[in-house]
Amino acid sequence: MERELGTFRVKAGLAEMLKGGVIMDVVKPEEAVIAERAGAVAVMALERVPADIRAAGGVARMADPRIIREIMDAVTIPVMAKARIGHFVEAQILDSLGVDYIDESEVLTPADEQYHIDKTKFKVPFVCGARNLGEALRRIAEGAAMIRTKGEPGTGNVVEAVRHARTVNAEIRRVAAAPADELPTIAKELGAPFELVQQVHDLGRLPVVNFSAGGIATPADAALMMQLGVDGIFVGSGIFKSADPEARARAIVRATTHYQDPEVLAEVSTGIGEAMRGIEISRIAPEDRMQERGW
Amino acid sequence: MTQIGIAAVQGAVREHERVLAALGARTSLVRRKEDLDGLDGLVLPGGESTAIGMLLEEYGIADVLRKGEIPVFGTCAGMILLAKEIEESSQPRLGLMDITVRRNAFGRQRESFEEEISVPAIQGGPLHAVFIRAPYVTSVGRDVEVLGTVDGKIVLCRQGRMLAGSFHPELTDDRRLHRYFLEEVVGERARLA
């Protein structure tokens, strides 16, 4: 067999290697180094963390390639970067920079209100957000090799991440338990390709790795999401918007590994300074909720 | 029955569990040093070697493994952690094998690949190998046996009870390398005991 690059197996495989780990948003090389030293399995290179994007308003776009390159040079762990939903040229640019994963992300302002990026055309793998099983499977059909719950980014409030994880879990349980002859109708209801619904039925889980994102701010939040069955954790604003980013980053990494061990969780939660302040979801106008972006 | 632990700090844990269980081994997850009690062997899975190495150290697992009594099979990040020397890095490691590794040696994710490689020590034809931001070995000591190469780079080797591979057999349906670990590496220890 000839050497094959960019196969779905190597794309989904990198996500498998990140399981049980924490991926941290960083906006400069110094933060990337703090993340790596704390035990992050990857970093997301950004111009602003979601909390600042929310505060700044306006149109949020792909980061300046200079920032991404500097971060890639600063660490040895994988570097991810965000493209706007549907903005396949931003994705082409990120691909040419050599980033290890592209997040087609609702944190940025969507560039297309109808179509997501055709991710099968790229050698670089993509991760996409989802609030429910149908959305997750549509993204996988478009070529996503990793899924994350959307949560509500930049809020420091885990409630939406919990809602999305529970929704996906409940829908997976329903698909797994359904007899084969009901799957075509379930696929229609979910708005998802039948073949992927069948895979979920056979596996009892998503066919790719599923992380949690959007609102995780404490070690306990991370362990909560892990106990709800996600494969790993994205922390956006939660670390570098807290009082002591280094201590919090270390604590969240350890909580993600030892998520079933309350003694370790108590120990790592101790004395790590104040968490980011956070926002109650009902205070955010529906049109300002990032999770509503994408479909 | 053979009891194999899988270091479960983070990484491709469930894939190794699946393969080992299919081969009839009993598996358990290792997150603290107590979890090492009674193991016949340990798998260090792929993941991020910096993160895994740090937590193996902090939770006392590394100190026990350094005694060299438990046979270890390291894949990808696991290979890096088994090495004595890691090029351009001072990251925590077990240093159980007399090898020097280069991290991300084939390149970044876009250079990740699949290929069939020839491993004479394993019967039944070439192994389908999946390389993901993979390391390779740039030099080996006298006691290290080279088992497989790609482009002339060492991607599979053994030193006594330690087995290290750059690639991910756990992501394929080919169980021969895990069987080799159970029968030849762990099994040999059982016969000597």
Side-chain angles (χ1 to χ4, degrees):
Chain A
M1 189 198 83
E2 290 290 298
R3 175 170 302 187
E4 285 187 276
L5 283 88
T7 60
F8 192 74
R9 178 141 53 189
V10 302
K11 290 176 172 178
L14 177 55
E16 302 286 355
M17 301 309 142
L18 302 175
K19 286 200 307 276
V22 183
I23 300 167
M24 302 180 190
D25 278 8
V26 297
V27 300
K28 49 188 176 197
E30 297 76 21
E31 290 183 355
V33 170
I34 290 173
E36 183 173 51
R37 287 203 186 129
V41 291
V43 291
M44 179 75 69
L46 288 162
E47 222 163 284
R48 294 192 185 114
V49 295
D52 289 336
I53 290 174
R54 194 176 279 291
V59 175
R61 311 177 179 90
M62 176 188 83
D64 184 331
R66 184 178 51 87
I67 296 178
I68 297 168
R69 280 208 190 92
E70 285 174 1
I71 289 169
M72 287 168 63
D73 289 342
V75 293
T76 59
I77 56 179
V79 176
M80 301 184 167
K82 288 186 195 289
R84 283 180 263 177
I85 290 173
H87 207 314
F88 51 85
V89 172
E90 284 188 349
Q92 290 163 8
I93 293 169
L94 294 175
D95 188 14
S96 84
L97 294 175
V99 302
D100 297 293
Y101 241 93
I102 295 176
D103 184 3
E104 187 183 16
S105 177
E106 69 281 2
V107 167
L108 306 182
T109 310
D112 190 324
E113 295 195 324
Q114 203 168 3
Y115 301 108
H116 283 249
I117 297 170
D118 177 2
K119 295 166 273 285
T120 59
K121 289 202 174 128
F122 291 81
K123 282 212 163 60
V124 57
F126 282 74
V127 54
C128 287
R131 287 163 301 176
N132 53 54
L133 182 58
E135 205 175 353
L137 295 181
R138 287 192 290 281
R139 298 294 85 79
I140 296 168
E142 294 156 0
M146 177 178 185
I147 293 294
R148 53 173 176 74
T149 58
K150 285 181 172 173
E152 187 54 43
T155 60
N157 188 340
V158 78
V159 67
E160 296 300 304
V162 168
R163 187 194 316 282
H164 300 157
R166 283 200 182 272
T167 303
V168 171
N169 286 346
E171 290 171 329
I172 288 174
R173 280 196 300 272
R174 180 185 169 214
V175 169
D181 62 354
E182 291 180 9
L183 295 179
T185 301
I186 293 176
K188 183 183 160 216
E189 287 167 14
L190 292 173
F194 171 69
E195 292 70 24
L196 290 175
V197 172
Q198 201 161 34
Q199 270 190 51
V200 171
H201 173 76
D202 295 345
L203 292 168
R205 59 173 171 81
L206 282 178
V208 300
V209 164
N210 181 28
F211 270 46
S212 184
I216 293 156
T218 68
D221 288 349
L224 172 68
M225 298 315 300
M226 292 296 289
Q227 287 198 26
L228 284 172
V230 302
D231 295 314
I233 303 292
F234 279 91
V235 188
S237 320
I239 290 172
F240 290 99
K241 285 284 154 191
S242 74
D244 186 348
E246 197 162 351
R248 186 158 297 264
R250 290 177 59 83
I252 292 178
V253 167
R254 280 134 192 89
T256 302
T257 291
H258 295 281
Y259 68 95
Q260 290 168 310
D261 191 333
E263 270 176 46
V264 174
L265 296 176
E267 184 197 314
V268 303
S269 301
T270 306
I272 53 172
E274 212 174 316
M276 70 179 281
R277 185 148 184 284
I279 309 173
E280 205 193 309
I281 305 298
S282 61
R283 305 259 170 191
I284 306 171
E287 63 271 22
D288 291 334
R289 292 181 194 165
M290 291 171 173
Q291 60 176 286
E292 306 294 334
R293 298 164 166 179
W295 37 91
Chain B
M1 198 189 240
T2 314
Q3 180 80 33
I4 305 293
I6 303 160
V9 169
Q10 71 83 209
V13 176
R14 71 171 175 227
E15 289 75 12
H16 280 290
E17 248 183 320
R18 181 180 56 84
V19 179
L20 291 164
L23 290 169
R26 215 162 37 199
T27 60
S28 55
L29 302 184
V30 176
R31 293 193 174 94
R32 310 175 79 151
K33 67 170 185 257
E34 303 78 55
D35 301 331
L36 291 167
D37 294 346
L39 294 184
D40 299 304
L42 179 85
V43 170
L44 279 178
E48 275 310 309
S49 61
T50 48
I52 299 174
M54 194 182 302
L55 271 76
L56 290 180
E57 207 68 66
E58 280 176 32
Y59 290 88
I61 298 164
D63 278 339
V64 179
L65 292 177
R66 270 194 208 100
K67 292 178 190 158
E69 288 160 7
I70 301 176
V72 181
F73 176 21
T75 57
C76 195
M79 170 190 255
I80 296 167
L81 292 167
L82 282 171
K84 269 210 176 77
E85 300 294 333
I86 305 170
E87 290 185 4
E88 292 174 39
S89 174
S90 57
Q91 67 189 84
R93 70 203 66 180
L94 300 172
L96 285 161
M97 289 179 76
D98 197 5
I99 59 177
T100 302
V101 298
R102 181 175 300 168
R103 289 185 59 198
N104 304 333
F106 293 96
R108 303 190 72 97
Q109 175 61 16
R110 64 179 171 189
E111 279 88 38
S112 293
F113 63 97
E114 302 183 40
E115 187 170 324
E116 285 185 351
I117 65 163
S118 142
V119 180
I122 289 174
Q123 307 250 303
L127 282 180
H128 187 90
V130 181
F131 294 85
I132 297 175
R133 287 173 49 95
Y136 58 66
V137 174
T138 53
S139 73
V140 299
R142 247 183 349 159
D143 299 332
V144 178
E145 187 185 353
V146 174
L147 300 174
T149 60
V150 57
D151 298 345
K153 315 294 187 193
I154 300 166
V155 295
L156 184 66
C157 57
R158 176 182 177 181
Q159 181 174 5
R161 294 167 174 170
M162 308 296 154
L163 177 67
S166 303
F167 52 95
H168 295 283
E170 77 283 6
L171 295 182
T172 70
D173 293 324
D174 193 333
R175 299 170 190 152
R176 287 177 293 164
L177 197 50
H178 286 84
R179 178 175 291 134
Y180 175 86
F181 176 63
L182 291 178
E183 289 178 358
E184 304 294 325
V185 183
V186 176
E188 183 177 61
R189 178 206 193 206
R191 283 195 295 278
L192 292 174

